[in-house]
Amino acid sequence: MGKDVIIACDFASAAQTMEFLDKFQGKKPFVKIGMELFYAEGPKIVRQIKARGHKIFLDLKLHDIPTTVKKAMAVLSRLDVDICNLHAAGTAEMMRAALEGLTRPDGTRPLLIAVTQLTSTNQEAMEQELLIDKPIDQVVMSYAQNAKRAGLDGVVCSPLEAAKVHANCGSEFLTVTPGVRFADGDKGDQKRVMTPAQAKEIGSDYIVVGRPITAAPDPVAAYERCLAEFVG
Ligand code: C5P
């Protein structure tokens, strides 16, 4: 898969999601389904969106004992999604088990990427609550390398970290980056942001864009603008 824009469908119901996707008519953007929509609607929302011809990043961030993650990943793999994810903090053993679970009898599987440290976790919380006293960027890179060694395909990271992840883990290791805003847009609650053009420049493989598209007066035009800036 090449560079693409993934729309974060952070909606509370299938009805709202379908109303949004209907605006795109013939176009089939890559979409991200997160916990809110998945927990509200269950696996059928994945099947519905897949049946409409969209690629799907199922963003459920699994983190549990290896056996449980392996079995859960086998279920997600049967939903025929394109990308799944988990927390690298679950250890290399959990990540390897996840890959086994995801791999279908014919040897194919969805891409599997890892969350390193959530961008909502800062240095202070890491030190005070998680008792990790290394600098956060070192922790992010070390988790990314663990994911790579476990055989994963990439990481979710800030666009500001993407170049460093590629330098440490190789250019083939995917960087999927949220925190994207248009130069003339509202940042909302995202603190460290990049434009789609900047994300392209620093080598992100996929950008995940929510509100700049979903809350735009013309979501299709906003999506096209993202594509033009990022994919060119
Ligand atoms: O609306 P916005 O463009 O900020 O949406 C970004 C999406 O990426 C949301 O679904 C958010 O949960 C997700 N995300 C993020 N930062 C991370 C990981 C995921 O914004 N570090």
Side-chain angles (χ1 to χ4, degrees):
M1 290 198 276
K3 280 185 182 287
D4 210 347
V5 173
I6 303 178
I7 305 180
C9 285
D10 293 324
F11 298 110
S13 70
Q16 284 171 20
T17 309
M18 296 310 168
E19 190 188 327
F20 172 75
L21 293 178
D22 281 345
K23 297 183 203 293
F24 288 82
Q25 303 197 339
K27 298 185 189 75
K28 304 289 177 192
F30 204 135
V31 301
K32 177 171 92 72
I33 300 175
M35 291 185 199
E36 182 188 12
L37 185 57
F38 189 81
Y39 291 149
E41 298 288 352
K44 76 173 188 302
I45 186 71
V46 178
R47 295 193 193 96
Q48 279 173 336
I49 296 177
K50 193 78 200 171
R52 294 169 68 123
H54 298 266
K55 286 186 179 160
I56 297 177
F57 168 19
L58 190 53
D59 179 20
L60 299 181
K61 301 187 180 73
L62 276 67
H63 188 174
D64 207 320
I65 60 171
T67 307
T68 302
V69 169
K70 179 177 171 176
K71 289 178 182 167
M73 285 294 185
V75 175
L76 301 184
S77 186
R78 289 198 289 275
L79 286 175
D80 200 21
V81 296
D82 299 278
I83 307 180
C84 292
N85 65 355
L86 46 63
H87 276 282
T91 75
E93 188 190 350
M94 188 200 80
M95 292 192 266
R96 285 193 297 271
L99 277 176
E100 277 177 37
L102 269 188
T103 306
R104 305 181 183 109
D106 66 1
T108 63
R109 63 167 175 82
L111 294 173
L112 181 61
I113 60 177
V115 175
T116 55
Q117 279 292 345
L118 290 171
T119 45
S120 51
T121 308
N122 61 16
Q123 187 75 41
E124 189 192 353
M126 243 177 39
E127 287 175 13
Q128 302 299 319
E129 297 180 41
L130 308 181
L131 306 184
I132 300 171
D133 57 11
K134 298 274 195 304
I136 195 159
D137 63 329
Q138 203 176 315
V139 174
V140 167
M141 291 310 142
S142 175
Y143 282 24
Q145 281 166 337
N146 291 346
K148 160 112 178 160
R149 276 195 291 268
L152 270 68
D153 303 294
V155 286
V156 184
C157 63
S158 145
L160 298 145
E161 293 159 353
K164 202 166 169 192
V165 168
H166 279 142
N168 275 281
C169 300
S171 58
E172 300 297 300
F173 195 64
L174 299 174
T175 53
V176 178
T177 62
V180 174
R181 293 292 180 264
F182 291 120
D184 53 2
D186 182 3
K187 277 201 210 175
D189 54 0
Q190 296 281 13
K191 298 201 169 53
R192 302 188 306 146
V193 298
M194 268 195 190
T195 66
Q198 287 167 332
K200 176 185 183 180
E201 190 67 32
I202 52 93
S204 289
D205 296 289
Y206 294 90
I207 50 173
V208 175
V209 187
R211 290 159 292 179
I213 295 175
T214 56
D218 183 346
V220 180
Y223 171 67
E224 298 288 357
R225 182 177 171 194
C226 269
L227 271 183
E229 278 193 33
F230 183 65
V231 184

